[in-house]
């Protein structure tokens, strides 16, 4: 049932929490359950402090497992990927239900249609505990994506599965995974399917200086007239990378590209703020120079993208055989091939 007619205001929380790596865990499933229990307690305590109008919580990237440190794809699938509809997904849904929140987070997950592969997915659970949105990350340098098995993926799930947007009582929600905030086309595609709030699970440098992702968040919010709830990790424990390399600066950005609130370092509930969907909708209905969303001229760019694609100047689709799991070197080799083609066409020079 569509709820887009409801003009709502509520509070969102970008929960900055520590990510415990399962890379060396003797039983990663026990570690995952512990992470879910800790997050449940943190959400409950945070909501008790913020108030019952805290209805949306976004978790960091890697909140359940951290990331692969060179493990082959089959090994990481067995170690850290959860099953859609499986024990861990249900347990996270129960967290959303107990705390009466829409909950978004990013996980590694299996797919029965693509045995042997894993995908990195951003999910949204509703307050009933159900998964209402499943977005598979489309841009990744060292991991498989739906674009890498594009034809088979679209055959299995349809083209709309690549850019999901869900209409809820909180507005129209979509997910952007990690460094994909740097890809303007993704946010624009989701916006043109109605997205009003981007749930951004990330694990990134929390520098006191402005980072590329900081700049990108402001740009994506302003150019799409959309809110961004960006949850960063409070460090990653259990791997050799220094713990606090990805820590701090969880933030909420409004539809005008202004940072409304931002957390410092460490585990934190500071990045919470009111999301005024009614104000966003009023702004999107304004005529004038400020309405960038209504000033798009897609025909100008469509031909340029087709030209570049026909010349093979982008990352190639279907570069993975779904029947044959690649080794990790495949991804860097594919990337180097794109660089070579860009050189051949004079776009990159020595």
């Amino acid at each position: 049932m569509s709820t887009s007619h409801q003009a709502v205001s509520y509070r969102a929380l970008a929960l900055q929490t520590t990510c415990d790596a399962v890379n060396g865990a003797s039983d990663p499933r026990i570690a995952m359950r512990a992470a879910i229990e800790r997050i449940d307690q943190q959400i409950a305590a945070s909501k008790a402090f913020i108030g019952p109008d805290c209805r949306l919580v976004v978790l960091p990237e890697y909140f359940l497992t951290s990331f692969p440190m060179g493990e082959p794809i089959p090994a990481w699938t067995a170690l850290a990927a959860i099953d859609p509809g499986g024990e861990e997904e249900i347990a996270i849904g129960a967290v959303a239900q107990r705390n009466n929140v829409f909950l978004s987070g990013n996980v590694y997950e299996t797919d029965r249609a693509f045995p042997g592969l894993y995908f990195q997915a951003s999910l949204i659970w509703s307050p009933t505990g159900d998964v209402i949105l499943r977005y598979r990350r489309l841009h990744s340098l060292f991991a498989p994506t739906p674009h890498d098995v594009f034809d088979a993926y679209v055959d299995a799930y349809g083209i709309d599965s690549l850019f999901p947007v869900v209409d809820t009582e909180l507005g129209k929600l979509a997910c952007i995974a990690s460094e994909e905030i740097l890809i303007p086309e993704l946010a624009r595609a989701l916006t043109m399917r109605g997205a009003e709030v981007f749930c951004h699970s990330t694990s990134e440098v929390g520098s006191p200086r402005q980072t590329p992702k900081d700049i990108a968040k402001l740009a994506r919010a302003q150019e799409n007239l959309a809110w961004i709830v960006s949850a960063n990790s409070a460090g990653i424990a259990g791997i050799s990378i220094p713990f606090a390399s990805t820590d701090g600066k969880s933030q909420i950005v409004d539809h005008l590209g202004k940072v409304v609130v931002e957390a410092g370092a460490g585990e934190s509930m500071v990045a919470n703020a009111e999301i005024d969907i009614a104000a966003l909708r009023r702004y999107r209905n304004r005529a004038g120079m400020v309405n960038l969303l209504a000033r798009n001229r897609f025909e100008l760019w469509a031909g340029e993208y087709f030209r570049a694609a026909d010349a093979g100047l982008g990352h190639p689709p279907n570069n993975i055989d779904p029947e044959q799991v690649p080794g990790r070197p495949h991804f860097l080799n594919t990337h180097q091939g794109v660089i070579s083609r860009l050189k051949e066409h004079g776009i990159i020079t020595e």
Side-chain angles (χ1 to χ4, degrees):
M1 181 176 65
S2 174
T3 57
S4 60
H5 65 281
Q6 297 182 13
V8 295
S9 176
Y10 57 92
R11 297 193 77 82
L13 166 64
L15 182 63
Q16 192 165 284
T17 187
T18 300
C19 301
D20 291 314
V22 302
N23 303 65
S26 57
D27 191 332
R29 303 297 151 174
I30 292 177
M32 290 184 203
R33 287 197 294 271
I36 294 169
E37 291 172 4
R38 178 169 53 84
I39 287 165
D40 189 7
Q41 295 168 3
Q42 291 180 335
I43 291 174
S46 298
K47 185 170 180 178
F49 188 88
I50 296 167
D53 59 342
C54 180
R55 299 299 316 287
L56 173 64
V57 178
V58 179
L59 302 173
E61 183 185 26
Y62 310 141
F63 77 93
L64 201 57
T65 60
S66 187
F67 61 95
M69 296 283 287
E71 289 92 345
I73 289 175
W76 188 251
T77 302
L79 185 70
I82 68 174
D83 297 328
E87 176 185 346
E88 292 84 11
E89 185 178 291
I90 292 172
I92 298 169
V95 173
Q97 187 173 30
R98 278 192 294 272
N99 292 286
N100 190 31
V101 296
F102 289 82
L103 180 61
S104 182
N106 185 275
V107 298
Y108 294 97
E109 65 178 15
T110 62
D111 189 315
R112 291 180 181 176
F114 299 92
L117 296 180
Y118 65 79
F119 296 112
Q120 192 178 355
S122 291
L123 309 180
I124 298 178
W125 289 262
S126 75
T128 64
D130 300 310
V131 173
I132 57 172
L133 183 144
R134 186 183 308 275
Y135 165 73
R136 261 77 179 270
R137 180 172 170 171
L138 297 172
H139 304 79
S140 184
L141 187 56
F142 295 113
T145 76
H147 185 254
D148 296 319
V149 289
F150 187 70
D151 290 344
Y153 196 91
V154 172
D155 285 346
Y157 298 113
I159 193 70
D160 291 339
S161 68
L162 299 177
F163 308 106
V165 176
V166 62
D167 193 358
T168 76
E169 64 197 75
L170 305 187
K172 296 177 182 179
L173 309 180
C175 290
I176 296 176
S178 187
E179 66 176 354
E180 288 191 309
I181 199 70
L182 299 170
I183 311 295
E185 292 85 356
L186 175 60
R188 179 55 49 84
L190 293 168
T191 301
M192 298 315 295
R193 289 172 178 258
E196 297 171 319
V197 179
F198 292 126
C199 300
H200 180 229
S201 296
T202 186
S203 186
E204 62 186 67
V205 172
S207 171
R209 294 186 178 273
Q210 199 169 46
T211 67
K213 288 185 181 180
D214 284 332
I215 296 168
K217 291 169 197 175
L218 307 186
R220 299 297 86 81
Q222 184 179 49
E223 67 200 11
N224 294 295
L225 301 181
W227 283 77
I228 296 176
V229 183
S230 179
N232 194 20
S233 53
I236 299 178
I239 57 176
S240 55
I241 293 175
F243 170 79
S245 297
T246 57
D247 184 10
K249 301 193 78 169
S250 294
Q251 56 187 224
I252 296 178
V253 184
D254 74 8
H255 62 284
L256 302 181
K258 299 176 183 175
V259 177
V260 177
V261 66
E262 182 177 303
E267 293 200 311
S268 176
M269 48 154 273
V270 166
N272 74 87
E274 182 182 19
I275 305 288
D276 192 343
I277 293 296
L280 175 152
R281 291 174 178 171
R282 287 195 301 270
Y283 207 90
R284 285 184 171 186
N285 277 278
R286 296 178 65 188
M289 293 178 65
V290 295
N291 195 338
L292 297 176
L293 187 57
R295 296 178 65 192
N296 289 309
R297 300 178 185 235
F298 294 115
E299 294 79 9
L300 288 174
W301 322 123
E304 285 299 297
Y305 278 114
F306 277 120
R307 180 189 66 81
D310 288 343
L313 302 181
H315 196 91
N318 301 310
N319 65 80
I320 291 177
D321 180 351
E323 303 296 325
Q324 195 168 18
V325 179
R328 291 290 183 190
H330 165 83
F331 299 101
L332 191 56
N333 291 337
T334 303
H335 185 59
Q336 291 287 0
V338 177
I339 294 173
S340 296
R341 290 191 294 277
L342 291 171
K343 288 181 180 179
E344 291 170 6
H345 284 77
I347 297 169
I348 294 178
T349 57
E350 294 289 353

